[in-house]
Amino acid sequence: MSTVVRTSGLPLELSSFVGRRHEVGEVRRLLAESRLVTLTGPGGVGKTRLAVEVSRVMHRAFPDGVVLVELDQLRDAELVSNAVALAVGMREAGRTSLEMLVSYLESRRLLLVLDNSEHLVDAVAGLSGALLQHCPELRILATSREWLGVAGEVVMPVPPLGGSEAVTLFGERAASVRLGYTVNAANEGVVAEICQRLDGLPLAIELAAARVRALSEKDILVRLPQSLASPRRVLPARQQTLRSCIEWSHGLCTERERLLWARLSVFAGGFELDAAEDVCSGAGLAVHDVLSTVSSLLDKSILVAEQHGDVMRYRMLETIREFGVERLEHLGEHAGLLRRHRDFHLGLIERANDDWVSPRQAVWFARLDREHANVQAAVDHCLRQPGELDAAFRMLAGLFHFYWWGRGWAREGRLWLARALDRPGPPSVERARALLTDGSLASADGQFDIALRRLADARADAGLLADPSIAAFGCWVEGSVDLYSGKLPEAVEAFEQGMAVLPPGVDVQCRLDLMLSYSSAVGLLGDVARATACHEEWLRLTEPAGECFHRSYALWSMGLFAMTRGEHDQAAELHRESIRLRRDIRDLTGIGWSTESLSWVESALGHDEVAATLLGAADRVWEIMGRPLRTYQHLYPYHEETERVGRERLGGKGFEYAFVHGRAMSVDEAIAFSLNEKAAAVEPAEPPAVLTRREREIAGLIAEGLTSRQIADRLVISVRTVETHTEHILAKLGVRSRVQVANWVSRQG
């Protein structure tokens, strides 16, 4: 659904960027003068590649990063602000995504690239206007087939490639499919004529160039339609050209390639080979032919391959996918393929849950992360079709640990759940589970009244309570409201009731959830016997199987228990071990809790600067989550006490210095700091206006006139690290430019 692109992490392009030097310079100039620039033009003209190249060239001007949001994968206007929140690195609980975004971005200098906005233009325009109004350092670069219509917007139509640039592009793309291919004096004229016939449209040129494996340049020219105007005369000329070229390329495909092209268009945001084999095979396409046909479509530039770790994913450019959807509808297969697509992803979610207590848990987290856009499309299909509501409930409840809690995507989950639950339907186990899922998320947001209403609705049908999973889940929601409200004895009673109604071996996830909350409650009450027994049972279930998620919570809960007993060294080690496990599955909620709790223990051990730094790092995670820590009244007093002690021992300025040091860390840096994987020593507590040793070193190199890249090479660190330090230097010295930093260095002698 969205791609995070930081200053050191622009997307890896598998092909070169050709030409466009003038256009890149013009967009840079416009962004320097205007806060919203929209690149417009027909599909295939190269708007996205131009936007990415501008981002790559300009990223050093934006110390808080460049963020690319790929909106072509999104179909729901209500999720636009949510998609941007996720892309900038936030999670969306509590307040609306727009409120969080404004709060998060109002002090940041960042370039936001909103790619393929045309099908969501009203939502993108509304969001852009609101952000620009409240976030003075924000710049937005949008790509769209039409302009947004926002006050202050500057529109730049993206022209087709010029003659020499178009020929160069043809040559480079042809060389990627035919070894040793070059454009030379013998073929240059024909290639130039091909490019001219294709109106200099990059996508059309790439489709034509992909054919040099089987055709000569003259063959390609001859086989191009004599008139590249589409029968759809209402289209602008260049869109007619691209349409005709895609139709031409489609006509040169084999019957099997055309069939798979159409069927693959059902996927949103890419797909993997097992998905293509499951969803697209049959009725003219055998399973064992899918891989070879995918390879053929890659050769013809119909598909693009992208490697994610050790997994290969494939996707279509949106213009090509749109054509595929038309063909699928023409074949009469669209409705059936949408059902197969839904069935595959529902099955994926249910297999992931069945495999929860296993060493494959981290693999399932990663796979479902990659399928986010497809899951959204599958749920949306369920909500649009009669008789599919229970399937939507199964998907939404099945994603509780993988998305809504484990990834912190609570607001998105609650939006989908509200849409599903608002639809009329008979009571069912699936509806009850969805009600309780929403109730659990509401309780975590501190919306206890809503949580209790959902609980009451789920319990309204007495027959459903005969299902032990529903009865136990209801007890967990009830107990969670008590726990977060600080009513520990009531919470213990509800959790015990839930564990009692759940037979051994039934719904292990729910049992582990109950045990997590139960162990926290009895541990905080100081009940040694029950806390110890719970922890032993927990580890018996999870440790041999290699499960990470619940085991990390067990270790964290044991750390809380050890802390309340004064066993602080043991508590610190337990919290660190929980962080190691949580890093494997990127459980941001859990990382926040373990970092926060470790700060309490470090404070008790007298490590005040480390404790304040960890408190700042945890505060950064809570900001990303958008979740107020005060919701958790059973734990919030420990936070208050740690801050009070830190300010008392370090003094106000010393505490703030260490706290800000922690808040400046990325999540990965905070994890490494917590685990002592790199120097954990905090600079001596001194007023924030005084630079650290590393900052003084970098300030000196700035004064010598070195660029960020030269400084990075000199100090053997990343450019991003240099720019982060530079931002801290500017903030601490109260200046806005590198020249002013140099003047400060000169005054210091």
Side-chain angles (χ1 to χ4, degrees):
M1 184 186 64
S2 54
T3 300
V4 183
V5 182
R6 295 298 176 193
T7 51
S8 59
L10 286 163
L12 178 62
E13 297 293 353
L14 302 181
S15 56
S16 59
F17 181 78
V18 175
R20 303 283 199 197
R21 293 181 64 181
H22 171 74
E23 288 85 355
V24 169
E26 182 64 9
V27 178
R28 292 181 66 182
R29 184 187 68 78
L30 292 175
L31 279 171
E33 298 174 353
S34 307
R35 297 180 55 218
L36 171 60
V37 176
T38 302
L39 306 181
T40 62
V45 79
K47 301 184 295 293
T48 297
R49 287 300 298 269
L50 176 58
V52 171
E53 185 63 19
V54 169
S55 302
R56 195 185 305 280
V57 171
M58 293 191 69
H59 73 265
R60 293 180 186 175
F62 298 95
D64 291 308
V66 176
V67 178
L68 170 66
V69 190
E70 296 174 319
L71 294 171
D72 60 324
Q73 303 171 18
L74 192 66
R75 294 290 175 266
D76 194 323
E78 286 190 62
L79 289 175
V80 170
S81 60
N82 181 74
V84 176
L86 295 181
V88 299
M90 301 188 69
R91 299 298 184 263
E92 23 58 70
R95 296 171 292 165
T96 67
S97 292
L98 178 56
E99 289 173 341
M100 292 192 318
L101 275 170
V102 168
S103 176
Y104 184 79
L105 295 174
E106 61 186 354
S107 62
R108 286 175 164 82
R109 198 188 317 169
L110 181 143
L111 176 62
L112 187 62
V113 183
L114 303 177
D115 188 34
N116 287 300
S117 306
E118 55 274 345
H119 61 300
L120 300 164
V121 67
D122 290 339
V124 172
L127 175 66
S128 299
L131 291 178
L132 292 172
Q133 181 179 357
H134 298 286
C135 307
E137 294 296 320
L138 179 69
R139 293 286 190 277
I140 296 177
L141 177 61
T143 75
S144 177
R145 296 178 194 177
E146 60 177 294
W147 64 306
L148 303 183
V150 176
E153 176 184 20
V154 173
V155 179
M156 177 179 156
V158 177
L161 290 173
S164 62
E165 292 177 341
V167 169
T168 300
L169 176 65
F170 185 99
E172 291 199 6
R173 299 303 183 260
S176 70
V177 297
R178 196 171 98 191
L179 188 64
Y181 181 89
T182 60
V183 176
N184 51 43
N187 62 13
E188 184 176 13
V190 180
V191 170
E193 190 172 349
I194 292 170
C195 295
Q196 185 178 14
R197 288 275 301 280
L198 296 175
D199 281 345
L201 289 170
L203 178 56
I205 291 168
E206 291 185 6
L207 290 172
R211 295 292 173 176
V212 300
R213 175 175 285 185
L215 300 172
S216 71
E217 298 89 341
K218 287 187 178 180
D219 289 334
I220 293 172
L221 181 60
V222 169
R223 288 172 181 267
L224 284 176
Q226 290 305 305
S227 172
L228 281 172
S230 167
R232 302 183 174 203
R233 300 292 179 184
V234 295
L235 292 175
R238 290 199 179 99
Q239 284 183 249
Q240 292 181 32
T241 298
L242 181 62
R243 169 81 186 193
S244 294
C245 187
I246 292 173
E247 289 174 343
W248 169 76
S249 186
H250 182 264
L252 293 180
C253 289
T254 66
E255 186 62 35
R256 197 164 64 193
E257 291 167 349
R258 289 196 291 266
L259 185 60
L260 186 58
W261 178 347
R263 291 177 178 176
L264 289 174
S265 68
V266 78
F267 289 100
F271 58 90
E272 294 172 21
L273 184 61
D274 62 338
E277 291 173 335
D278 186 282
V279 175
C280 300
S281 62
L285 184 64
V287 173
H288 61 263
D289 288 330
V290 171
L291 175 57
S292 61
T293 312
V294 164
S295 298
S296 298
L297 292 175
L298 282 169
D299 291 342
K300 295 173 173 62
S301 295
I302 305 305
L303 293 178
V304 177
E306 299 170 334
Q307 189 157 350
H308 294 251
D310 58 355
V311 175
M312 189 66 74
R313 283 184 71 82
Y314 309 93
R315 65 177 175 86
M316 289 180 176
L317 296 179
E318 183 62 13
T319 307
I320 290 175
R321 195 193 72 82
E322 289 170 355
F323 182 85
V325 170
E326 289 182 20
R327 300 308 305 162
L328 197 59
E329 291 173 340
H330 177 75
L331 294 170
E333 293 190 357
H334 195 212
L337 262 291
L338 285 172
R339 284 194 300 273
R340 293 187 68 173
H341 175 272
R342 187 279 316 277
D343 290 343
F344 176 81
H345 290 94
L346 173 57
L348 205 66
I349 292 166
E350 293 186 334
R351 294 206 321 270
N353 280 289
D354 290 342
D355 207 17
W356 180 261
V357 184
S358 79
R360 286 180 47 78
Q361 190 182 77
V363 173
W364 282 115
F365 265 97
R367 176 64 189 270
L368 289 175
D369 281 355
R370 297 194 298 271
E371 301 297 348
H372 194 173
N374 278 311
V375 168
Q376 289 176 322
V379 174
D380 184 63
H381 170 74
C382 291
L383 297 182
R384 292 175 184 273
Q385 299 299 315
E388 300 285 354
L389 199 51
D390 276 356
F393 290 146
R394 286 164 62 191
M395 295 182 80
L396 293 171
L399 290 166
F400 175 75
H401 292 94
F402 288 105
Y403 281 5
W404 320 138
W405 186 269
R407 286 292 177 263
W409 297 341
R411 185 175 181 273
E412 181 188 331
R414 295 193 65 195
L415 176 63
W416 286 116
L417 284 159
R419 289 178 178 176
L421 291 167
D422 285 347
R423 283 165 169 74
S428 66
V429 168
E430 287 78 14
R431 178 179 283 273
R433 187 169 284 114
L435 283 164
L436 294 170
T437 299
D438 192 54
S440 176
L441 296 173
S443 71
D445 286 345
Q447 297 177 339
F448 301 143
D449 54 339
I450 296 175
L452 293 174
R453 283 203 301 273
R454 291 301 200 196
L455 175 62
D457 289 344
R459 288 174 166 174
D461 190 313
L464 296 178
L465 296 179
D467 184 303
S469 293
I470 297 300
F473 197 171
C475 291
W476 185 51
V477 173
E478 180 182 2
S480 295
V481 171
D482 289 330
L483 179 66
Y484 300 154
S485 302
K487 301 173 183 177
L488 298 182
E490 294 89 340
V492 167
E493 183 180 350
F495 297 141
E496 286 181 337
Q497 183 181 355
M499 290 187 287
V501 301
L502 200 59
V506 174
D507 200 343
V508 176
Q509 280 186 340
C510 186
R511 178 172 291 279
L512 291 171
D513 288 334
L514 282 161
M515 291 172 65
L516 158 66
S517 302
Y518 177 71
S519 65
S520 297
V522 295
L524 292 171
L525 286 171
D527 191 325
V528 176
R530 286 193 289 183
T532 302
C534 187
H535 293 149
E536 289 174 352
E537 173 68 7
W538 207 342
L539 294 179
R540 184 188 68 79
L541 290 171
T542 60
E543 197 164 25
E547 192 266 0
C548 293
F549 183 89
H550 280 98
R551 186 153 53 104
S552 70
Y553 277 99
L555 292 166
W556 169 70
S557 179
M558 291 167 67
L560 290 178
F561 182 44
M563 181 186 72
T564 62
R565 298 176 64 187
E567 299 167 354
H568 297 121
D569 287 327
Q570 182 187 10
E573 186 50 43
L574 287 166
H575 288 320
R576 289 192 174 95
E577 184 59 29
S578 72
I579 291 172
R580 291 185 185 95
L581 290 177
R582 285 166 166 168
R583 175 164 58 182
D584 292 341
I585 56 175
R586 305 300 297 177
D587 174 13
L588 197 65
T589 304
I591 289 167
W593 275 122
S594 292
T595 306
E596 175 80 34
S597 303
L598 182 59
S599 75
W600 307 341
V601 175
E602 292 287 4
S603 176
L605 288 168
H607 305 155
D608 301 308
E609 292 170 4
V610 172
T613 304
L614 289 169
L615 212 59
D619 190 70
R620 173 79 173 92
V621 175
W622 300 133
E623 180 190 37
I624 292 172
M625 294 289 293
R627 177 168 290 163
L629 189 58
R630 282 187 173 85
T631 294
Y632 305 94
Q633 285 300 309
H634 63 306
L635 294 174
Y636 189 65
Y638 293 102
H639 172 92
E640 292 180 304
E641 178 64 10
T642 300
E643 181 173 347
R644 185 193 65 78
V645 170
R647 290 184 181 279
E648 181 180 284
R649 293 175 178 171
L650 297 173
K653 289 183 178 179
F655 176 86
E656 289 295 336
Y657 181 72
F659 185 87
V660 170
H661 179 69
R663 269 193 58 83
M665 294 178 179
S666 68
V667 173
D668 286 330
E669 288 168 341
I671 290 172
F673 182 87
S674 301
L675 299 179
N676 297 318
E677 291 179 350
K678 57 184 179 181
V682 183
E683 292 289 332
E686 49 189 1
V690 177
L691 304 185
T692 66
R693 181 191 59 78
R694 175 64 93 182
E695 288 165 352
R696 289 194 295 271
E697 187 176 23
I698 289 175
L701 295 174
I702 289 173
E704 291 180 24
L706 272 64
T707 66
S708 292
R709 167 59 65 189
Q710 291 169 328
I711 294 172
D713 292 341
R714 174 82 64 89
L715 300 180
V716 197
I717 57 178
S718 71
V719 173
R720 175 58 177 159
T721 299
V722 173
E723 291 173 342
T724 298
H725 282 303
T726 301
E727 276 303 290
H728 295 166
I729 292 166
L730 293 172
K732 289 181 178 182
L733 299 181
V735 300
R736 299 186 61 84
S737 72
R738 294 165 77 98
V739 172
Q740 289 173 304
V741 172
N743 291 337
W744 179 86
V745 171
S746 176
R747 289 197 303 272
Q748 301 304 307

